[in-house]
Amino acid sequence: MGAENLVKNGEANAPLILGLQPAALVDHVARVDWSLLHQIPGERGGSIPVEIKELEHILSELKRHILASIDEPSPMKTMAGGSVANTIRGLSSGFGVNGGMIGAYGDDEQGQLFVSNMDISGVNISRLRRKNGPTAQCVCLVDAYGNRTMRPCLSTAVKVQGDELSKEDFSGSKWLVMRYGIFNLEVIQAAIRIAKQECLLVSLDLASFEMVRNFREPLLRLLESGDIDLCFANEDEATELLRGEENADPEAALGYLSKYCRWAVVTLGANGCIAKHGQEIVRVPAIGEAKAVDATGAGDLFASGFLYGLIKGLSLEDCCKVGSCSGGAVTRSLGGEVTLENWQWMYKQMQIKGLLLPEIQN
């Protein structure tokens, strides 16, 4: 497989925060009616990998099931996606934090779309490798209540391998942001190894309740290694983490995570979040005014805000508050990318709460 890096001239500034997303991913996000969700195998609300034929079938069926919306002029959006890409793009475009991506994209239309979307958003793309083959895609189906069901197609997609990572990829950065995935375990472990040698802090998102349920043992080993400094889980993932234990609630999961991670955060949807650092535990409510059009990216953008808070030296409670502002902002329109209007909404929320505003404000 041919691979080339996108190195820009004079790019000496290492990103403060690096995101590892082994496979670049393009999201097709649409609001659909229940009948399409009934036709698709698997539980509603989760994320289950599909083959390209199934993905193309869902895309062809979409047009008949689109939900019209006054607020949303385009019924379907196609954009650079993936949890880590959403977090890094949010940090760069909304918070003005120097963020970069490590990963691979294919020599196709989707690969080009991913790269240009990240580049326009101010993300450092010099660590993205171009390879021969297809770019990963994902269909995100959003119901009338804003809940999303994901069907990613990753099996044939190009991705970066563990042995392709080098010290140069990480040198000078402060944070490495990753998402748990069994198919990426080898590259995740390789990245952690180099990141720790280069003194980076490591953040891990627990991905989905199916991933935690089906591949719990390797995840527990990863968490218990002590190499994960910050862990994000949503309520469903937190419950799966301790499945079978006497107390398998979010509070118990927070307690478990905080034994091994310096910062542990469990997001609770409409109920806000709970977080722990050392002996300090905080509970922060969600922002009441956020009208959830689509929950896609809510956890990813919460992570953007929380990481911005950590970088700026904010208190644990204020990190959570910024996270709830940015997480709330992305749910106000389709997809995991925050619109200009919704960044403005977020800055206003931050101002009302007396939080430190980013130096850049769109």
Side-chain angles (χ1 to χ4, degrees):
M1 271 212 295
E4 60 184 76
N5 282 30
L6 288 171
V7 181
K8 286 191 167 176
N9 295 333
E11 201 151 53
N13 290 351
L16 192 61
I17 301 194
L18 269 180
L20 172 75
Q21 186 171 301
L25 176 72
V26 167
D27 277 342
H28 306 280
V29 190
R31 281 169 66 95
V32 297
D33 59 36
W34 297 102
S35 58
L36 178 61
L37 292 164
H38 286 313
Q39 288 173 34
I40 294 165
E43 285 179 66
R44 201 177 297 153
S47 176
I48 298 170
V50 293
E51 296 300 319
I52 188 71
K53 288 260 186 294
E54 173 76 3
L55 182 111
E56 285 168 351
H57 171 69
I58 297 170
L59 284 174
S60 68
E61 287 288 306
L62 271 184
K63 292 177 185 62
R64 293 208 294 276
H65 296 274
I66 295 271
L67 282 182
S69 160
I70 304 158
D71 303 337
E72 203 58 67
S74 81
M76 182 166 117
K77 285 185 178 176
T78 299
M79 63 187 75
S83 174
V84 173
N86 290 341
T87 298
I88 298 295
R89 179 175 53 206
L91 276 160
S92 292
S93 66
F95 290 102
V97 172
N98 184 358
M101 291 289 292
I102 300 175
Y105 64 99
D107 54 354
D108 53 8
E109 195 187 331
Q110 279 81 17
Q112 211 37 62
L113 186 148
F114 182 89
V115 168
S116 55
N117 183 217
M118 297 307 279
D119 193 23
I120 289 164
S121 302
V123 175
N124 180 319
I125 55 171
S126 64
R127 291 159 186 75
L128 288 175
R129 283 86 162 155
R130 181 169 185 250
K131 294 190 175 189
N132 303 325
T135 304
Q137 299 182 67
C138 179
V139 183
C140 310
L141 306 169
V142 183
D143 68 21
Y145 298 104
N147 301 311
R148 49 117 185 102
T149 299
M150 309 274 207
R151 291 296 177 265
C153 176
L154 310 168
S155 54
T156 56
V158 301
K159 67 179 200 175
V160 81
Q161 307 293 338
D163 58 8
E164 295 174 282
L165 301 177
S166 71
K167 187 179 147 205
E168 286 69 40
D169 287 322
F170 299 85
S171 181
S173 295
K174 294 283 181 279
W175 277 94
L176 171 64
V177 173
M178 297 184 301
R179 181 180 202 236
Y180 179 61
I182 196 69
F183 311 110
N184 294 325
L185 199 54
E186 173 256 349
V187 66
I188 285 171
Q189 287 166 334
I192 290 174
R193 201 162 48 246
I194 304 171
K196 286 298 162 189
Q197 285 166 2
E198 293 297 311
C199 302
L200 274 74
L201 293 162
V202 174
S203 167
L204 184 73
D205 178 89
L206 296 197
S208 70
F209 64 83
E210 293 101 338
M211 192 61 79
V212 178
R213 179 187 295 168
N214 299 333
F215 306 103
R216 189 164 155 250
E217 289 311 312
L219 172 60
L220 295 179
R221 281 198 295 277
L222 193 58
L223 290 167
E224 291 171 11
S225 70
D227 285 333
I228 309 301
D229 299 284
L230 165 60
C231 185
F232 293 103
N234 67 24
E235 200 167 356
D236 296 336
E237 293 150 10
T239 308
E240 282 297 338
L241 195 62
L242 298 183
R243 180 179 276 275
E245 305 278 317
E246 205 173 316
N247 292 326
D249 55 26
E251 284 79 6
L254 187 74
Y256 167 80
L257 290 170
S258 69
K259 273 199 282 192
Y260 305 103
C261 311
R262 284 166 67 179
W263 295 273
V265 185
V266 179
T267 55
L268 306 168
N271 295 318
C273 73
I274 48 176
K276 190 171 180 189
H277 173 53
Q279 292 308 303
E280 185 186 8
I281 299 178
V282 299
R283 180 181 284 272
V284 170
I287 296 190
E289 300 106 88
K291 47 166 189 167
V293 170
D294 171 17
T296 305
D300 309 334
L301 269 293
F302 178 95
S304 304
F306 191 92
L307 283 160
Y308 161 81
L310 283 184
I311 287 164
K312 294 294 184 186
L314 303 188
S315 67
L316 182 63
E317 185 174 356
D318 281 355
C319 288
C320 290
K321 283 180 179 174
V322 180
S324 69
C325 289
S326 49
V330 76
T331 66
R332 292 165 60 85
S333 66
L334 269 189
E337 183 170 21
V338 180
T339 62
L340 218 51
E341 182 194 340
N342 289 329
W343 281 130
Q344 293 300 336
W345 177 88
M346 183 194 81
Y347 302 139
K348 190 178 159 202
Q349 298 302 320
M350 287 177 70
Q351 210 169 359
I352 291 166
K353 291 174 169 44
L355 298 165
L356 178 72
L357 287 167
E359 278 146 37
I360 78 152
Q361 285 169 55
N362 291 312

